[in-house]
Amino acid sequence: MTRWSVSMHYTYTLFLLFLLKIQCVFSYSDYLIGLGSYDITGPAADVNMMGYANMDQVTSGVHFRLRARSFIVAEPNRKRFAFVNLDAGMASQLVTIKVIERLKQRYGELYTEENVAISGTHTHAGPGGYLQYILYLVTSLGFVHQSFNALVDGIEQSIIQAHENLRPGSILINKGELLDAGVNRSPSAYLNNPADERSKYEYDVDKEMTLVKFVDDQWGPVGSFNWFATHGTSMSRTNSLISGDNKGTAARIMEDWFEKKEGRVSYDVESHRRVSSIITDAYDQDLLQMASSLLSTGGETVTRMSSVARRVRSGFRHADKPSFVSAFCQTNCGDVSPNVLGTFCIDTGLPCDFNHSTCGGKNEQCYGRGPGYPDEFESTRLIGERQFKKAADLFNTAYEEIQGKVDYRHAFVDFSKLEVTIDGQDGGSEVVKTCLAAMGFGFAAGTTDGPGAFDFRQGDDHGNTFWRLVRNFLKNPTEEQVRCHRPKPILLDTGEMKQPYNWAPSILPVQILRIGQLVILCVPGEFTTMAGRRLRDAVKTVLKEGSSYGEEFSVVIAGLTNTYSQYIATFEEYQVQRYEGASTLYGPHTLSGYIQEFKKLAHDLLSGQATDPGPQPPDLLDKQISLVTPVVADMTPIGTAFGDVISDVPQSSKFRKGIDIVTVKFRSANPRNDLMTEGTFALVERWLEGRETWVPVYDDDDICLRFKWSRPFKLSTRSSASIEWRIPETASIGVYRITHFGSAKTHLNSTHHFSGSSSALVVY
């Protein structure tokens, strides 16, 4: 063979290898993507909210609706996974178990515990009672089947939507800093981390948002999911309206922004929003005359579908194309508060004590202030809007394409007795163990987002005699348990409390999801800022060292995923025993245990090895106890009907947009009779001239509309619904009315649906 032919053969071989590599890249980028979204709002009355553990915080209306938002990514004929983001306090092991059971019934082994991740945003304004361990059911008076079923049904439906929407598409990734949406609420604990470690970071909380953009080959952008750390505690511990808090707000704003930007708003709503904002005296009189002729309707019997069909964002309106889905996911938010103005004593107005977050030695007076202080709704809107603006910017400037295989690893780990190898003091290594779950005294102090009661305080590493006596009445911890958790003084020895069934989890899921260069670490709790950094760095190191081609990976943490086990603080933060350390269930080496187990998953992911599934967690559904009083009956005064207007707008009244609030009060019934899933309790309608009909323009999924339910006393059969419309600046001049939908339980346990509408009013 001549030198020339050898050269040509070598060149040809290189060319073939190049083509093969290109083919590999192209085949990896050939994803199927699908997104879905479904209502999980749950019972809007009589149910304790999950988050603040405040027994007085009971649902009594809707700020805006909660949703389960899902995406599925698949390589054709290869692996896939589903990721679900919930407007809920956290995921639940029992919810996850039942969702997987349903998916297996429908799809066989296509979706299992290994490749389905369910993550909560950590709103503290959603109905509780859906976790299976007693510690998380005390304030909700046990298990609440309506809360549980709303979540299981909604998650399943959102995944079904995503599955049915699977189509060829691409995924882009982008990152950027958001500086004004979170502050560290336990800075004294953060400062206990090593100085050289802290010096690597500019801030004491993570400021980076990571966003993925989903682009359908035919339809273009169909959604986005992002991860950013800030607590769902813009709404306070006294709020009683169901709300997705700041992350749910951001999602609602972004979905509406995209639909409007793409011109996908329904004809009726779009025509409503195009009306000129200039009004003449003559037109003013015409509107007032028209409004004066449109009086309240009184209560009417309607069908269940009336509420669903009248929704502004009804699925019936966009059957030709999937709706845009945007999720704002939670990450390592453990010590991150959205109350960015700082912490102050409500009695003096002075800053709280730095180390213990107390005022005069008491924790009850110390509260964080959001940017809209003293209006919690405004703080929620502002923190949500800030996240939306950053997400929209990242969405618009996302150009880096995700390329590579889809893969995942999952295992169950018993964190109550996990042996963990850590670096020893002499430069070698030593084996330590995690502990049976237990809560410290600092847990009962709460946080500056929602202080606890009595004389507890954060940073308490001793406890006091009285509360030790109370503790011992419930369960006196063993000496071994006390030593294991030291320096945490144990207040609730939940890991050893088994009556009437388990008080806390011991077997937890750990999971890694991979799409190309994006790796998602699914953790069943709230990692603090530094704990999350250590976990991400440890996994990045494994991925970098094990990658053949020196790939750069983007690693994000999906917090509160698949189940809930409270907080994970660093070893150093644990010593301080502020709220996060006192709520780290499995002792001082909890974080080291997570790092060890995630490194194993990362090794298996890269090597292609199977992962030991570990011990199965229990299914405690049959053991659940509920003490929530059922709805017995609903009644109205003789001569009146459900849906009748109690307090109407004045006849021929005018309201200014961007300034005024419209309030109408109706005779109503308990919202637990029908959750109005994918429907609405409240509606603002506009009179459409020329078509002589009312068209929906705002419903109870709009932040400007609030549905408030009340009754004279707890077991009263009579109730009312007040609907408040804060007229947005963007509302158009025209004639409007307020409508209420509900369902009443009458004789023989039957229900009937009703509606009622106010008299017309003019907005100018």
Side-chain angles (χ1 to χ4, degrees), residues 150-280:
L151 283 165
V152 175
D153 293 344
I155 295 167
E156 180 192 20
Q157 290 301 318
S158 73
I159 293 175
I160 290 171
Q161 283 184 24
H163 178 83
E164 294 179 348
N165 287 334
L166 278 170
R167 296 161 51 86
S170 57
I171 309 169
L172 307 177
I173 185 170
N174 202 1
K175 302 175 186 178
E177 280 193 342
L178 173 57
L179 300 179
D180 55 357
V183 295
N184 198 305
R185 68 184 186 187
S186 289
S188 59
Y190 179 87
L191 288 173
N192 207 45
N193 291 307
D196 60 339
E197 182 180 34
R198 288 185 281 111
S199 68
K200 299 175 184 177
Y201 304 99
E202 185 174 359
Y203 306 106
D204 61 1
V205 297
D206 286 340
K207 302 287 188 178
E208 186 172 75
M209 176 184 286
T210 299
L211 177 140
V212 290
K213 176 178 179 178
F214 300 96
V215 183
D216 185 286
D217 283 354
Q218 179 181 354
W219 297 117
V222 290
S224 69
F225 277 55
N226 70 72
W227 290 265
F228 177 77
T230 194
H231 246 76
T233 49
S234 292
M235 300 296 289
S236 75
R237 68 193 300 273
T238 59
N239 162 63
S240 65
L241 300 186
I242 290 175
S243 174
D245 209 276
N246 57 69
K247 286 189 176 291
T249 298
R252 168 52 51 237
I253 295 173
M254 187 152 182
E255 288 174 347
D256 288 349
W257 163 79
F258 183 84
E259 297 286 348
K260 185 175 182 180
K261 182 171 75 79
E262 294 294 302
R264 291 169 58 182
V265 179
S266 70
Y267 170 78
D268 292 338
V269 177
E270 185 63 18
S271 64
H272 147 70
R273 289 171 180 169
R274 282 202 303 263
V275 174
S276 170
S277 60
I278 301 173
I279 185 168
T280 64

Side-chain angles (χ1 to χ4, degrees), residues 74 214 250 354 403 491 534 597 634 662 674 682 715 759:
F214 300 96
F354 180 78
Q403 295 181 331
L491 176 64
R534 290 184 190 177
E597 297 307 305
D634 297 287
V662 180
D674 190 321
L715 297 180
S759 298

Side-chain angles (χ1 to χ4, degrees), residues 118 139 188 220 257 327 387 401 460 485 523 538 541 584 662 696 702 751:
I118 302 172
T139 58
S188 59
W257 163 79
Q387 290 177 79
E401 187 169 350
D460 183 353
H485 280 274
V523 301
T541 299
T584 297
V662 180
D702 280 287
T751 60

Side-chain angles (χ1 to χ4, degrees), residues 666-677:
F666 299 86
R667 298 199 185 281
S668 192
N670 197 305
R672 285 193 285 155
N673 295 328
D674 190 321
L675 306 183
M676 296 297 172
T677 301

Side-chain angles (χ1 to χ4, degrees), residues 664-740:
V664 181
K665 190 174 184 179
F666 299 86
R667 298 199 185 281
S668 192
N670 197 305
R672 285 193 285 155
N673 295 328
D674 190 321
L675 306 183
M676 296 297 172
T677 301
E678 289 295 332
T680 183
F681 290 108
L683 195 65
V684 175
E685 300 173 289
R686 180 174 177 268
W687 183 253
L688 197 61
E689 291 183 76
R691 293 174 59 179
E692 306 303 300
T693 188
W694 292 103
V695 295
V697 289
Y698 302 103
D699 60 26
D700 66 11
D701 204 15
D702 280 287
I703 298 166
C704 66
L705 194 64
R706 299 177 193 172
F707 165 68
K708 297 182 175 181
W709 180 81
S710 63
R711 57 187 169 188
F713 53 91
K714 183 173 178 60
L715 297 180
S716 175
T717 58
R718 297 181 181 179
S719 64
S720 62
S722 294
I723 297 176
E724 296 179 359
W725 181 34
R726 285 159 171 75
I727 308 174
E729 185 67 41
T730 54
S732 298
I733 293 165
V735 176
Y736 295 81
R737 73 175 183 181
I738 309 294
T739 295
H740 168 46

Side-chain angles (χ1 to χ4, degrees), residues 470-478 491-493 496-497:
V470 174
R471 173 201 69 188
N472 293 345
F473 177 77
L474 293 171
K475 177 66 179 72
N476 188 6
T478 63
L491 176 64
L492 290 174
D493 188 19
E496 295 185 302
M497 296 166 71

